[in-house]
Amino acid sequence: TKDWNGIDQVVLRSPRGSSTRVSLHGGQVISWRNDQGEELLFTSSKAIFKPPKAMRGGIPICFPQFGNRGSLEQHGFARNRVWAIEENPPPLHPNDSKGKSFVDLLLKPSEEDLKCWPHSFEFRLRVSLTSDGDLVLISRVRNINGKPFSFSFAYHSYLLVSDIRYSSCTYKHSVVFSEVRIEGLETLDYLDNLCHKERFTEQGDAITFESEIDRVYLSTPNVIAVLDHERKRTFVIRKEGLPDVVVWNPWEKKSKAMMDFGDEEYKQMACVDGAAIEKPITLKPGEEWTGRLEISVVPSSFCSEN
Ligand code: BG6
């Protein structure tokens, strides 16, 4: 299909009814729905679906730079380019194709890109939907340059949640609480983007949201869970080749400053990104790097009283 700018989009469907929509602009996943047709990714009501910028929501690809940690535009140029569909990419592991519907995309640097980042590469992105409706993203970056190069990377995943704010009240002598919490990052070190990228150690049992947060957690486990208490469901994020996890929510004040983001929308989103940031990936000529992300949503049974 095409959007109203004439940019191609690809829709993948699983036999049970889940679906995902990928835009060739940015190679960006812009929707992911479960078997019941419920959307699982956040998209701002003020999102601009128009090049040259990435639309606010879904899963933009940050490459070859994360954030402003380098001389390139914020989060690198890959999310702002039009990708091509590749009919016959170099083979992946057979398990990456079996029982899945998928599309293969390809990005190569333009002349303009090479002026600001003089490294020839081929970036292959496979977006798949499993028969259970899980979303799988596989990125392969190959150095086709004569010299080594380094890059950082993130799957900037805007998860849709019921209400990010932690709240509690007393009901029939018990405390009833509502929250979104991330499990798997406790006790880890992180770089705080709100504090000059200074390094701290996480003290909490799990991460909950009570104010603006913009952190890069380091050397994280391969499985992270994002629990949504009100919706009684959990996003399970499995990753490979992606040691870091970015956690971002702009909260009230920053939301108001972003023109493509509604003032109250921060309550409905949590960015939890599989990433490689602290130690950039270095590829020698001919070498390839793979970064894999798999997100599934499972029902969670919560104890609502404590
Ligand atoms: C996050 C960064 O990943 O992305 C934040 O850590 C940034 O610092 C946010 O504000 C959004 O970036 P952008 O360029 O999409 O507005």
Side-chain angles (χ1 to χ4, degrees):
T1 61
K2 288 191 188 291
D3 71 5
W4 50 269
N5 293 303
I7 291 181
D8 284 305
Q9 298 184 346
V10 178
V11 180
L12 305 174
R13 291 182 205 284
S14 83
R16 281 189 229 144
S18 45
S19 64
T20 186
R21 182 178 283 266
V22 187
S23 171
L24 295 199
H25 178 236
Q28 185 172 351
V29 172
I30 56 172
S31 164
W32 174 36
R33 290 175 188 267
N34 64 13
D35 295 354
Q36 288 76 45
E38 293 165 343
E39 181 60 53
L40 302 167
L41 297 177
F42 168 86
T43 292
S44 170
S45 61
K46 293 197 171 169
I48 303 162
F49 285 79
K50 209 165 144 184
K53 286 285 172 197
M55 83 85 190
R56 177 75 59 196
I59 311 183
I61 302 280
C62 305
F63 172 87
Q65 172 184 304
F66 178 79
N68 58 5
R69 294 154 193 266
S71 56
L72 300 178
E73 62 203 89
Q74 159 98 345
H75 290 325
F77 51 78
R79 64 174 180 164
N80 302 327
R81 296 291 176 268
V82 177
W83 293 50
I85 292 181
E86 192 176 29
E87 299 292 345
N88 289 305
L92 276 154
H93 190 278
N95 284 350
D96 288 321
S97 310
K98 222 168 48 196
K100 299 184 177 71
S101 59
F102 58 85
V103 62
D104 288 297
L105 304 183
L106 175 65
L107 180 73
K108 292 182 184 181
S110 67
E111 296 279 305
E112 283 305 302
D113 296 337
L114 288 170
K115 279 185 200 151
C116 56
W117 204 66
H119 310 292
S120 283
F121 66 86
E122 288 170 347
F123 188 144
R124 298 194 158 80
L125 172 67
R126 171 170 292 188
V127 180
S128 318
L129 197 60
T130 69
S131 52
D132 293 333
D134 300 345
L135 184 65
V136 184
L137 297 167
I138 303 171
S139 287
R140 292 182 285 171
V141 177
R142 178 173 289 279
N143 182 346
I144 55 165
N145 218 15
K147 288 186 186 152
F149 64 69
S150 302
F151 62 89
S152 52
F153 176 90
Y155 289 113
H156 201 343
S157 316
Y158 286 78
L159 306 180
L160 182 66
V161 295
S162 51
D163 190 341
I164 192 96
R165 296 167 303 169
Y166 178 84
S167 66
S168 64
C169 62
T170 309
Y171 177 70
K172 289 187 183 166
H173 309 295
S174 303
V175 178
V176 179
F177 66 97
S178 158
E179 65 174 12
V180 170
R181 66 152 74 204
I182 308 179
E183 290 182 356
L185 304 179
E186 48 279 1
T187 74
L188 298 180
D189 280 6
Y190 62 87
L191 306 176
D192 195 338
N193 286 336
L194 301 178
C195 229
H196 312 290
K197 304 186 174 69
E198 214 181 302
R199 193 175 179 124
F200 297 92
T201 303
E202 180 58 51
Q203 305 293 343
D205 284 346
I207 287 138
T208 53
F209 296 83
E210 284 167 280
S211 57
E212 183 183 359
I213 184 165
D214 190 352
R215 297 176 180 173
V216 182
Y217 285 85
L218 308 173
S219 307
T220 62
N222 284 340
V223 185
I224 305 287
V226 182
L227 288 74
D228 186 341
H229 175 234
E230 210 174 302
R231 284 226 170 98
K232 295 192 170 43
R233 70 183 180 204
T234 299
F235 291 91
V236 180
I237 301 172
R238 293 189 175 78
K239 56 189 182 56
E240 283 165 33
L242 303 164
D244 304 325
V245 167
V246 179
V247 178
W248 178 61
N249 184 287
W251 219 254
E252 225 170 326
K253 195 163 147 232
K254 202 157 272 176
S255 297
K256 292 194 173 126
M258 289 193 288
M259 56 169 289
D260 59 347
F261 194 89
D263 290 0
E264 303 292 325
E265 287 179 337
Y266 71 93
K267 297 170 191 165
Q268 268 74 59
M269 56 78 68
C271 277
V272 184
D273 318 349
I277 297 168
E278 194 211 14
K279 297 187 184 100
I281 310 288
T282 300
L283 291 178
K284 293 195 195 108
E287 272 186 343
E288 187 174 82
W289 166 86
T290 303
R292 196 174 193 283
L293 186 81
E294 183 170 338
I295 319 182
S296 40
V297 175
V298 296
S300 38
S301 43
F302 279 89
C303 176
S304 59
E305 296 173 6
N306 60 6

